[in-house]
Amino acid sequence: MELNANARIVLESRYLRRNQEGKIIETPEQMLERVALAVAEAELHWGQASDVREMAASFFHLMNEKLFLPNSPTLMNAGMLSGQLSACFVLPVEDDMAAIFHTLSLAALIQQSGGGTGFNFSRLRPEGSYVRSTGGTASGPLAFMQIYNAATEGIKQGGKRRGANMGILNVNHPDILSFIHAKQEAHQLENFNISVGIWNDFFKALNAGNTYTLRFSDAHTKPIIRKISAVQLWKKLIHAAWATGDPGLIFLDTIQRFNPTPDIGLIEATNPCGEVPLLPYESCNLGSINLSRMLKQNHMHGWEVDWEKLQHAVQLAIRFLDNVIEMNHYLHLELKRMAMGNRKIGLGVMGWAEMLIRLGIPYDSQQALQLASQLMQFIQQQAEVASATLARQRGSFPFIKQSKFYRQKRRNATLTSIAPTGTISLIAGTSSSIEPLFAIAYKREHVLNNQTLFEINPAAMEILSGQKHFSEQMLDEIILKGSVQHIKQLPESVKRLLKTSLEIDYTYHIAHQISFQRYTDNAVSKTINMPESSTEADVEKAYRMAWQQGAKGITIFRYGSKPDQVLHAGLKKEDEIVRVLESEIHDCKSSCRL
């Protein structure tokens, strides 16, 4: 497995097996062999030992060539005693003390094993309301979120990474204003992403300038009803998002409209990054195709998409992810029942920015958006073919009669999802998910036990090293700024092709999210990056645009709005980057290749 310096750091820190003394006892290739064999053993349920060997070899090649990688818990735990392979879970939070702490206990086990957890806290009664069982008053959703946050703080996932949570409160909950302001003070709910679950009726009230009703009721107490100006609530939400990046929005009506199993229940929550809306106790197994490896060279026109290679990778990846469901170790019987019943998987992509650069297509162009839709439609279609083939061999998912697919042969209730791919894209040595390049050169802080990783993009280096006036001095300037827009010697076409995240208008960020969402079963995790100079009006326009165009959720990030920001554009002269980047820069200038 060909790896750059940062990939090796990540693998050694989190993924490779260690003995009792903490010494690494596994190479990256042995890790892939372990994962491939463990996942291929599912073939025994329908075949024989020779099928396992054959499929293990295919899975190994798929990962070793960095064509596809599964989510982190699968890489960490497949073939290990823990054996918990799923990336994300949604757990119910009912208005009962025993149930609240039962859910917390299960969340702790999930996070310890490497999974992330999502919750909707809207069933909890508002702060200060009457509690009939004790005669006292309720603490409210935020108090219990603080407890969940504190528990997560003490849990390292699998001893390798911090827990991650999504906390959702519906816009009509009486405590919504407190929730909106929950992260405006530094270091509050640091282990949570938070989002407002928003209904279409709120936007109706907002557009009309009407009041909006906040309501809480249960079977035992008098309903709590409050009226609030929809405009004032919206302004407070927008200000908080502008100031801190939180809360995001989850569009509940849109999510429910695409719920594949509406007869089983309502979807009210997502995983921590929002790419998988799930029913209570559901989980999802994720993996991503590396688009930067789905290209071939045409001697007449340069790079082009290798559709045949992509088709093969998608169909094999779907089989891999379906096998993961069989080989998973479930931490609770209800988790197993829901996972086996709906067999949800989420195949996504990474390396989109690098694919566009090699194809010579600017990210902020209609051509890029058209290719995004074409590409994801192809992936979705091939995933459906693979799932139908598996259904003929293995049977459709058991809950199919309660789904929108009850007349079809289909192995999985969902097939596709666009995840952030934060660490697996580092392993693959490519750009994250469907994001543009954050910067040509940047540093990643507060990761891997607070190590700092320095990165320079190889696809950008391919373009730059081929330019007429490229020099060591130009490279130094690019590394210092993380951008090429100030380099006078470069053609405007190159500058546009190598625009970075904060140099691309937010409307194109949203447009990419929508283009991929159009052909994605689950949802799309996409950060809508904004420069520090962005206004609250910009945030409002982004949120409205996402809702109007059919996104399932939205998260914005205004550069510099968080005190512990992970990514920083450009590298200062005092940064110790030479050992990390020197060999990679040399390789890119001399022989960058797929």
Side-chain angles (χ1 to χ4, degrees):
M1 189 181 194
E2 185 181 341
L3 299 168
N4 64 29
N6 282 340
R8 291 192 177 277
I9 291 171
V10 170
L11 287 171
E12 290 172 3
S13 175
R14 289 184 177 175
Y15 295 86
L16 302 183
R17 289 177 58 207
R18 294 175 181 268
N19 60 19
Q20 292 183 342
E21 288 74 42
K23 182 180 178 182
I24 293 172
I25 56 172
E26 184 177 60
T27 66
E29 289 77 13
Q30 288 170 334
M31 176 195 74
L32 297 184
E33 288 171 354
R34 164 173 57 81
V35 173
L37 181 58
V39 174
E41 283 179 2
E43 301 292 326
L44 280 175
H45 297 178
W46 302 278
Q48 50 194 0
S50 60
D51 297 320
V52 173
R53 291 192 295 272
E54 180 181 345
M55 201 52 61
S58 296
F59 289 160
F60 175 80
H61 178 267
L62 190 69
M63 294 183 290
N64 192 54
E65 294 299 312
K66 296 185 286 188
L67 308 179
F68 160 88
L69 286 174
N71 53 225
S72 290
T74 300
L75 291 174
M76 291 174 181
N77 299 333
M80 307 284 279
L81 288 176
S82 57
Q84 196 296 102
L85 311 180
S86 300
C88 45
F89 299 76
V90 160
L91 300 177
V93 184
E94 301 295 339
D95 194 34
D96 173 86
M97 192 65 72
I100 290 169
F101 282 92
H102 171 75
T103 292
L104 178 58
S105 174
L106 183 54
L109 294 175
I110 287 169
Q111 291 174 12
Q112 185 184 44
S113 69
T117 42
F119 316 91
N120 189 314
F121 291 92
S122 300
R123 297 187 189 278
L124 300 186
R125 69 192 67 193
E127 181 182 5
S129 58
Y130 177 71
V131 180
R132 191 182 65 162
S133 61
T134 64
T137 57
S139 301
L142 279 173
F144 287 105
M145 288 181 69
Q146 295 286 3
I147 293 170
Y148 277 43
N149 185 74
T152 301
E153 186 66 29
I155 301 165
K156 275 194 172 182
Q157 293 188 351
K160 295 168 183 174
R161 58 176 182 168
R162 289 286 180 186
N165 300 298
M166 169 65 82
I168 295 171
L169 197 71
N170 293 350
V171 69
N172 57 354
H173 192 282
D175 284 358
I176 190 62
L177 289 177
S178 298
F179 179 82
I180 285 169
H181 297 140
K183 296 187 73 172
Q184 287 200 269
E185 289 186 21
H187 308 300
Q188 295 298 308
L189 296 177
E190 289 188 306
N191 299 303
F192 269 94
N193 294 324
I194 66 170
S195 287
V196 172
I198 204 157
W199 304 99
N200 290 346
D201 70 347
F202 174 80
F203 283 105
K204 185 177 179 180
L206 176 65
N207 293 337
N210 292 338
T211 59
Y212 188 68
T213 302
L214 309 181
R215 176 189 295 269
F216 181 87
S217 61
D218 60 23
H220 308 294
T221 57
K222 183 179 179 181
I224 299 167
I225 300 173
R226 299 171 188 162
K227 297 282 188 179
I228 188 171
S229 163
V231 172
Q232 290 304 312
L233 193 161
W234 181 245
K235 284 182 177 179
K236 291 178 184 297
L237 190 159
I238 294 301
H239 174 75
W242 172 85
T244 68
D246 286 296
L249 300 181
I250 299 293
F251 302 117
L252 294 170
D253 288 295
T254 304
I255 285 173
Q256 190 56 30
R257 189 164 70 249
F258 292 98
N259 179 0
T261 56
D263 291 345
I264 296 178
L266 294 174
I267 294 177
E268 299 180 318
T270 75
N271 71 316
C273 292
E275 73 270 20
V276 192
L278 295 168
L279 293 164
Y281 291 110
E282 275 196 314
S283 57
C284 196
N285 304 301
L286 307 178
S288 297
I289 298 289
N290 183 356
L291 295 178
S292 71
R293 298 268 172 158
M294 298 298 149
L295 295 168
K296 60 182 179 181
Q297 281 192 301
N298 181 317
H299 295 297
M300 296 289 292
H301 307 291
W303 294 107
E304 62 182 27
V305 178
D306 190 335
W307 297 102
E308 185 177 347
K309 186 177 183 182
L310 180 58
Q311 176 183 10
H312 175 74
V314 169
Q315 295 199 9
L316 189 56
I318 292 295
R319 191 181 193 100
F320 181 105
L321 294 174
D322 189 68
N323 280 14
V324 167
I325 296 170
E326 292 296 311
M327 302 311 299
N328 212 340
H329 170 67
Y330 296 95
L331 300 171
H332 188 279
L333 286 177
E334 190 64 11
L335 293 176
K336 183 174 184 178
R337 188 183 78 87
M338 293 300 291
M340 291 289 194
N342 280 334
R343 304 191 71 87
K344 287 186 175 179
I345 57 176
L347 179 64
V349 298
M350 55 185 166
W352 172 236
E354 289 195 1
M355 172 180 266
L356 289 176
I357 290 170
R358 290 193 171 106
L359 291 172
I361 301 174
Y363 193 93
D364 58 347
S365 68
Q366 288 301 310
Q367 188 180 359
L369 299 177
Q370 290 165 4
L371 180 60
S373 290
Q374 180 188 8
L375 190 82
M376 200 62 211
Q377 183 179 30
F378 182 84
I379 290 171
Q380 180 67 33
Q381 289 172 343
Q382 294 306 316
E384 289 171 356
V385 168
S387 188
T389 300
L390 288 172
R392 287 190 291 271
Q393 297 168 351
R394 304 175 175 183
S396 294
F397 64 94
F399 295 167
I400 195 167
K401 290 184 179 179
Q402 297 165 276
S403 80
K404 295 180 178 180
F405 307 113
Y406 64 96
R407 293 181 178 175
Q408 302 177 26
K409 286 284 187 183
R410 186 170 165 125
R411 182 66 173 163
N412 316 93
T414 65
L415 294 165
T416 49
S417 183
I418 307 294
T421 71
T423 47
I424 65 169
S425 61
L426 278 173
I427 296 170
T430 192
S431 56
S432 297
S433 188
I434 61 167
E435 303 289 354
L437 299 185
F438 180 76
I440 306 301
Y442 60 95
K443 59 182 177 180
R444 188 185 298 259
E445 296 185 326
H446 311 295
V447 295
L448 304 176
N449 298 319
N450 288 319
Q451 290 188 63
T452 297
L453 303 182
F454 304 100
E455 301 178 36
I456 188 164
N457 185 265
M461 282 300 304
E462 287 179 32
I463 300 297
L464 291 169
S465 61
Q467 297 305 303
K468 181 178 180 181
H469 298 291
F470 183 75
S471 65
E472 293 290 340
Q473 182 180 354
M474 181 189 292
L475 180 59
D476 289 342
E477 290 181 37
I478 292 169
I479 288 174
L480 188 64
K481 295 279 189 180
S483 171
V484 300
Q485 301 308 311
H486 62 294
I487 306 295
K488 295 179 181 179
Q489 302 96 312
L490 290 176
E492 289 302 315
S493 60
V494 171
K495 291 182 181 181
R496 187 178 178 199
L497 184 63
L498 298 184
K499 274 188 180 180
T500 59
S501 185
L502 297 173
E503 296 161 350
I504 293 168
D505 190 87
Y506 69 85
T507 59
Y508 273 100
H509 284 276
I510 296 172
H512 277 263
Q513 180 174 341
I514 299 301
S515 295
F516 278 93
Q517 180 65 77
R518 194 171 290 123
Y519 299 104
T520 299
D521 286 334
N522 288 300
V524 176
S525 176
K526 171 80 180 74
T527 301
I528 309 306
N529 290 100
M530 293 182 167
E532 193 169 358
S533 59
S534 296
T535 65
E536 292 183 37
D538 294 325
V539 175
E540 180 182 14
K541 288 176 185 177
Y543 275 10
R544 283 184 177 272
M545 181 179 173
W547 172 66
Q548 290 165 350
Q549 297 193 15
K552 292 183 179 178
I554 181 172
T555 301
I556 67 101
F557 176 67
R558 185 174 63 88
Y559 191 76
S561 64
K562 288 188 183 295
D564 295 327
Q565 187 167 307
V566 173
L567 299 178
H568 296 264
L571 302 174
K572 298 177 182 178
K573 290 181 179 179
E574 61 265 28
D575 286 328
E576 296 179 6
I577 65 170
V578 176
R579 285 185 298 172
V580 177
L581 296 180
E582 191 175 61
S583 62
E584 293 172 32
I585 291 171
H586 178 268
D587 289 345
C588 279
K589 287 193 291 185
S590 59
S591 59
C592 281
R593 64 185 189 279
L594 288 184

